[in-house]
Amino acid sequence: MESSAAGVVRSEESREGPLSGGVAERGGAGRSRGEEVEGGGAGERRPGVAARPGSAAAAPLSGQKRRREAEDGGSGSGRESGGDNSSQLAAPRRHPAKGPPPVPRVVLRPVPPLQGLVNACRTVFTGSSLPPMAPVVHFIRSIMNLIGPYDVGLRDDVDFFHRMNAASRQNPPIITCKTILECQNFAIAVFFLPFGTVMPLHDHPGMTVFSKLLIGSAHVEGYDWVRPRVSGGGSRMLAEKVLDRDVTPASGTWALFPEAGGNMHRFVAGEETHCAFLDVLAPPYAPAEQRRCTYYKDTPYEPCRCVVRRLTETTQRHGRPLAWLEEEVDEPRDLRIVSLPYRGPKIY
């Protein structure tokens, strides 16, 4: 009976061992063998059951094998479709659509008034002796009205002129001229007169002149020839006074023309302060082109029949003062004009 029972147990172990993975506890010998039997899941142990030798390392190897097979499969497919991969590499890479290029930032700086005057003169003056049109006159005057003494570098010059003239006690006083720019079509200059100084009566043949007082005060007198011309013998010619007034920086810009506006004028600086003028001459003096500066002496006109008969109705109706202007051959002796270099704000 014992032998048959043992045979039955062995047959059951041989039949159930590989299928169920576990044995029943049967006595001491059976329990020792059952503790070494592997559980149902990979890497899973049941309490009191030990894994079989070599079975624990088999599970991770199966994962590595699957990864190798996946890599081999991908590389194999790549090798099998090698032509397709080369065509994909050779195809141009598509870039995302780009927007318009950035617009550069432009910073507009205001043009200094003096530079604006230079630019305007270059545009409108052509060197002609004919007077400019009314819009051009208004344009130049509006720009000059914006210019002050510091715009032409008079900040430091006032003290220099004061010392040079020794409180205006030079005999005669020194008038200084600083030419800012001169070309064939126009010239821009600043004239400085110590107080009490007289700029003698002089003309501007075939020229248009814009003037503006920058500092101080002055008295201005201007003459135009009587039309038709009336001669008083010799070099004397009859002229009518068309300008006789005091000017300050607030007076703004005025203009004279070849045959109107006081083409022959005289300046007298104020008795208390120095004065400085900004002048634009278009075209500038040019002796080779018959634009030479001529100085005159004026004497009061006394009515006489021979002259009154030759005066036009317009001249008589205006009632402006008349004077005889006599041309001076030489420059007046009491006139000293010194030219100085311009060192003010840079112009282009």
Side-chain angles (χ1 to χ4, degrees):
M1 290 292 293
E2 290 180 358
S3 62
S4 61
V8 171
V9 170
R10 281 195 298 271
S11 62
E12 289 179 357
E13 288 178 356
S14 62
R15 185 173 57 252
E16 294 176 1
L19 296 177
S20 61
V23 294
E25 294 183 4
R26 300 181 185 272
R31 187 181 296 112
S32 63
R33 285 196 307 269
E35 291 175 355
E36 296 176 0
V37 177
E38 185 181 6
E44 180 181 353
R45 288 186 181 179
R46 295 178 183 176
V49 179
R52 293 179 182 177
S55 62
L61 289 178
S62 63
Q64 293 179 2
K65 183 177 181 181
R66 285 196 299 271
R67 285 196 297 272
R68 283 198 301 270
E69 290 178 354
E71 291 176 359
D72 294 343
S75 61
S77 60
R79 284 190 297 268
E80 292 173 0
S81 58
D84 296 338
N85 287 345
S86 62
S87 61
Q88 292 177 2
L89 293 176
R93 179 179 296 178
R94 293 185 180 181
H95 297 279
K98 295 183 179 180
V103 178
R105 184 179 180 183
V106 179
V107 179
L108 298 179
R109 296 181 179 179
V111 178
L114 183 59
Q115 183 65 54
L117 178 62
V118 172
N119 296 344
C121 292
R122 286 171 173 163
T123 303
V124 301
F125 295 134
T126 61
S128 173
S129 294
L130 297 176
M133 303 294 290
V136 173
V137 175
H138 176 74
F139 179 49
I140 298 298
R141 290 178 61 182
S142 63
I143 297 177
M144 291 184 65
N145 287 336
L146 302 175
I147 298 178
Y150 294 161
D151 295 319
V152 296
L154 283 179
R155 175 181 298 178
D156 301 325
D157 291 345
V158 174
D159 294 336
F160 170 76
F161 293 142
H162 184 78
R163 293 191 304 269
M164 186 177 64
N165 284 279
S168 191
R169 299 306 176 188
Q170 290 278 359
N171 190 16
I174 299 174
I175 299 174
T176 57
C177 173
K178 297 173 64 174
T179 301
I180 298 175
L181 178 65
E182 182 173 359
C183 62
Q184 186 176 358
N185 297 337
F186 66 92
I188 303 176
V190 175
F191 291 88
F192 184 89
L193 282 70
F195 53 84
T197 304
V198 178
M199 174 72 79
L201 187 63
H202 61 284
D203 67 350
H204 309 82
M207 301 163 61
T208 298
V209 180
F210 298 84
S211 300
K212 182 182 186 296
L213 191 66
L214 298 175
I215 59 174
S217 62
H219 186 79
V220 182
E221 296 178 327
Y223 292 91
D224 287 327
W225 298 119
V226 172
R227 300 291 180 179
R229 296 287 186 94
V230 177
S231 175
S235 62
R236 292 200 313 169
M237 301 290 293
L238 191 63
E240 58 179 343
K241 184 180 287 187
V242 298
L243 190 62
D244 188 4
R245 63 169 181 159
D246 295 327
V247 293
T248 64
S251 301
T253 304
W254 68 94
L256 61 86
F257 306 98
E259 297 182 0
N263 185 274
M264 296 158 286
H265 64 190
R266 169 171 50 216
F267 295 106
V268 182
E271 294 294 337
E272 298 181 357
T273 58
H274 308 304
C275 70
F277 287 91
L278 173 65
D279 277 358
V280 174
L281 299 86
Y285 286 110
E289 300 179 14
Q290 305 303 316
R291 292 195 301 272
R292 181 176 62 90
C293 181
T294 303
Y295 295 91
Y296 297 89
K297 289 181 179 180
D298 57 331
T299 57
Y301 162 75
E302 295 182 0
C304 62
R305 291 183 178 180
C306 61
V307 174
V308 171
R309 292 175 182 176
R310 295 157 61 183
L311 295 178
T312 63
E313 296 181 1
T314 303
T315 302
Q316 296 181 26
R317 184 173 66 251
H318 285 167
R320 294 169 178 164
L322 300 177
W324 294 107
L325 302 187
E326 183 176 359
E327 180 178 340
E328 292 190 25
V329 177
D330 298 326
E331 188 176 282
R333 294 181 178 180
D334 58 349
L335 177 63
R336 293 179 63 188
I337 299 179
V338 177
S339 296
L340 297 177
Y342 172 71
R343 302 183 188 276
K346 188 175 181 180
I347 58 175
Y348 301 92

